Amino acid sequence: MAEPAATVRRHDSALGRWETMHRAPPAALRPHVLGYVGYREWLPQPFRRLEVPSGEVHVIVSFGPKVRAPAPVQSFVAAPHTEHTIVDFDAEQHGIEIRLTPIGAHMLLGIPMHELADRVTEIEDVLGRDGAELPERLWDAGTWPQRFALLDRLLARRLADARTPAAGVEHVWSRLVETHGGAPVEALAGEAGWSRRHLLARFREHTGLPPKVFARILRFQRAAALMADPAGPSLCEIALDCGYYDQAHLNRDFRAFAGRTPTDLLAARLPDGGGYSGA
């Protein structure tokens, strides 16, 4: 597999210092693997970060101290959540984030995703001995490119052995992602040739969440991304563009998923890919 190019982002200010290396997966791993992020950060003091729901599964392989999310955990799988989480970090963090689609996580982990939804699960609890050994194997690889290449090989083997997901679920998931949650779920059930009840059961098994909740998270995720552009549209325009009835409905979803108004969430955004402050 040809190795894609990587991009580096760095930040250094009174907030702290951090560096991230982002790399897309090889074509053979798409669309189930979305990418890797190698990270290291040095902060002046312990830090609280706000993690908001997204349409992805995040696997954290840590080389540093445990975080509290809220229970202490080191390397873990964060499946789709329906609420925000406050994660407490020590002043230094170092590790790799693997970004997966929910269907990709279902294939790679071999576990019904609704058993992991709204939870942070230690990596050895889902991958056994392979998960327990993965942090040391990645650390020993030495450099980010070598670590990413190791993950390419590991994930390729697991995907080759994985069970193919139901075509109907893949179709519904793809349509929801393509439309940022705008496609009507009832129509998608008809396209898949399933009843709404059957779609609900299969979609939860493969993604962890009901399709309508997943669609709401995708709309919220797109609205939050559009807000980050200082030259972008107004909140009212974003609400309409993202399929909300009005700005009040957008505000409701931000409070439900982020625990903040859109303006408050924007104010909590950290520069250069630092996420959101949970202070």
Side-chain angles (χ1 to χ4, degrees), residues 76-77 108-111 116 121-128 158:
F76 58 90
V77 177
L108 289 161
L109 302 177
I111 298 174
L116 302 179
T121 307
E122 294 193 72
I123 196 168
E124 55 266 35
D125 290 345
V126 290
L127 289 178
R158 292 190 72 93

Side-chain angles (χ1 to χ4, degrees), residues 125-160:
D125 290 345
V126 290
L127 289 178
R129 182 176 176 180
D130 287 345
E133 294 176 350
L134 186 58
E136 185 174 356
R137 290 181 63 193
L138 288 170
W139 173 260
D140 289 344
T143 67
W144 293 125
Q146 290 171 321
R147 289 164 181 158
F148 297 154
L150 188 156
L151 287 173
D152 287 342
R153 296 190 296 270
L154 172 65
L155 298 181
R157 286 197 299 269
R158 292 190 72 93
L159 284 174

Side-chain angles (χ1 to χ4, degrees), residues 170-216:
E170 281 206 294
H171 173 75
V172 172
W173 173 82
S174 296
R175 290 285 296 131
L176 287 175
V177 171
E178 289 166 3
T179 61
H180 304 286
V185 172
E186 293 80 1
L188 294 177
E191 292 174 16
W194 291 341
S195 68
R196 288 181 59 188
R197 179 175 294 182
H198 187 69
L199 172 61
L200 172 63
R202 299 305 302 274
F203 198 86
R204 284 186 69 244
E205 176 190 356
H206 285 74
T207 72
L209 301 175
K212 286 194 173 182
V213 175
F214 191 76
R216 282 182 62 203

